[in-house]
Amino acid sequence: MTTSILKQLRVPIVGAPMAGGPSTPKLARAVSEAGGLGMIAGGLLTLEAFAAQIDSVRDVTIGVNLFLPEESSGADVKAYAERVAPWFERFDAEPGVLPRRDDFYADKFAWLLAHPVPVVSSTFATFDADEVATLHSVGTEVWATVATASDASVATANGVDALVVQGPEAGGHRSTFDGSAPELPLTELLAAVREISQLPRIAAGGLMDGNDVAPLLDSGAAHAVQLGTALLNTPEAGTKPVHRQQLTRATDTAVTRAFSGRPARGLVNEFMRENSEAAPLAYPDLHYLTAPLRAKAAAQNDPSALSMWAGTGHRRAQAKPAAELVAEWARQLGR
């Protein structure tokens, strides 16, 4: 079983939506034109930027990802801000302020109803049944990113069309609905999800080329895959220069809440080592708190205080155009 969009793909590869800069309309276009499905990362964008990015790629088939709003966690963000104050002094940066908690979600959702796209996926939660039905009414397929079998069960019950099954090997934020960070490997998670849902599965996590992908497709564990870290070093990506450099220099990744207040896998650096254990579960509070610090670190090409999201296969990221990579992966898959 596959969705109508997955059936249309010449290559069963989705370009992961990587919010905060790496995902760009150019990258989405390149992946889609090469036969996969490019995604616009709607998280952390204003409504105006969100609309402009989507409208710039209307002539190709793309998907859009939304961050679903987080309720206040009640965590002691002030105490964490005091803990990391020396880092702000070191980079001559002022702590950031939380502008709003909802990421313009209601506005973005309403805009997508008025200006439909082929696919909308969710991160951090699933659309509720009414939202799924409303998106279906305008011809949009609905996917949910899940990182546990229990979350997959909720999303399935709400009527989504497919599940992006995200293993712990994935770079960036873990899409558990409760903000946890379980460690069940992708292959085992796919099997667990398959036990409770018959929806199409799009596998994500640690996959870097067609050779990684083929066993999952051939075995029926997944119907397609979503790759993000493998695209970070393409010229179309908006990855910061120091992040690109560290992809092949850094040796380890780890899951941390230190930068954003939600578990996310990135390249290990000094800020993570010093603050990961103390960081509360408080997204997007910590994201906005540390934003000025991260911006200063990036401007100075200093990797010590920058969130450099990446999956476990980061050292295999290739500095090639996205179209070349998708074509290479297609050949490895015999497509």
Side-chain angles (χ1 to χ4, degrees):
M1 180 174 62
T2 56
T3 71
S4 60
I5 294 300
L6 293 178
K7 288 178 181 176
Q8 294 174 25
L9 302 182
R10 298 198 310 274
V11 186
I13 288 174
V14 178
M18 298 177 284
S23 282
T24 65
K26 286 185 178 179
L27 180 57
R29 175 183 295 280
V31 172
S32 289
E33 289 182 341
L37 180 70
M39 296 287 291
I40 295 293
L44 307 177
L45 296 177
T46 64
L47 178 62
E48 293 73 22
F50 176 78
Q53 287 202 16
I54 296 169
D55 283 341
S56 72
V57 288
R58 284 280 178 187
D59 57 320
V60 295
T61 300
I62 52 93
V64 174
N65 176 259
L66 293 177
F67 281 1
L68 272 61
E70 301 272 316
E71 295 181 2
S72 177
S73 66
D76 192 348
V77 176
K78 183 178 179 181
Y80 186 70
E82 292 172 353
R83 175 189 175 88
V84 299
W87 281 91
F88 285 90
E89 295 174 9
R90 173 174 162 181
F91 283 88
D92 191 25
E94 292 293 325
V97 178
L98 176 68
R100 56 189 294 165
R101 187 172 296 282
D102 67 355
D103 198 42
F104 301 95
Y105 173 74
D107 297 331
K108 291 172 182 175
F109 191 89
W111 190 90
L112 288 170
L113 295 180
H115 309 85
V117 296
V119 179
V120 174
S121 69
S122 64
T123 293
F124 300 153
T126 181
F127 302 107
D128 64 34
D130 288 341
E131 290 172 322
V132 172
T134 306
L135 287 166
H136 283 166
S137 73
V138 296
T140 297
E141 259 185 37
V142 183
W143 299 355
T145 309
V146 299
T148 69
S150 60
D151 288 349
S153 180
V154 174
T156 300
N158 285 1
V160 304
D161 301 294
L163 301 170
V164 180
V165 181
Q166 182 199 52
E169 304 90 343
H173 285 97
R174 301 293 301 280
S175 194
T176 44
F177 297 175
D178 62 0
S180 61
E183 292 302 317
L184 190 66
L186 175 60
T187 53
E188 295 180 34
L189 178 60
L190 285 165
V193 169
R194 191 175 188 176
E195 286 292 317
I196 57 91
S197 176
Q198 296 306 304
L199 290 178
R201 295 170 300 280
I202 300 149
L207 308 172
M208 297 297 292
D209 61 21
N211 295 323
D212 293 340
V213 170
L216 298 179
L217 300 181
D218 293 344
S219 67
H223 302 85
V225 296
Q226 182 171 277
L227 275 63
T229 302
L231 295 166
L232 277 176
N233 211 13
T234 62
E236 297 91 348
T239 313
K240 293 177 175 62
V242 65
H243 190 174
R244 291 180 187 272
Q245 295 164 6
Q246 292 298 312
L247 284 172
T248 52
R249 293 179 185 176
T251 56
D252 298 317
T253 65
V255 176
T256 183
R257 295 194 299 253
F259 294 106
S260 72
R262 233 185 185 277
R265 183 175 294 281
L267 304 177
V268 175
N269 60 9
E270 185 181 350
F271 189 90
M272 286 171 60
R273 285 191 291 266
E274 186 173 306
N275 300 300
S276 286
E277 291 188 10
L281 181 64
Y283 179 91
D285 309 68
L286 266 58
H287 166 79
Y288 287 107
L289 170 71
T290 64
L293 170 66
R294 291 180 281 118
K296 283 289 187 75
Q300 297 176 27
N301 286 317
D302 187 335
S304 67
L306 181 63
S307 53
M308 298 175 290
W309 304 140
T312 55
H314 63 94
R315 292 179 72 93
R316 294 163 57 200
Q318 301 182 69
K320 294 180 180 179
E324 286 188 23
L325 289 177
V326 175
E328 179 180 311
W329 301 335
R331 287 193 297 273
Q332 291 168 339
L333 293 172
R335 304 288 172 129

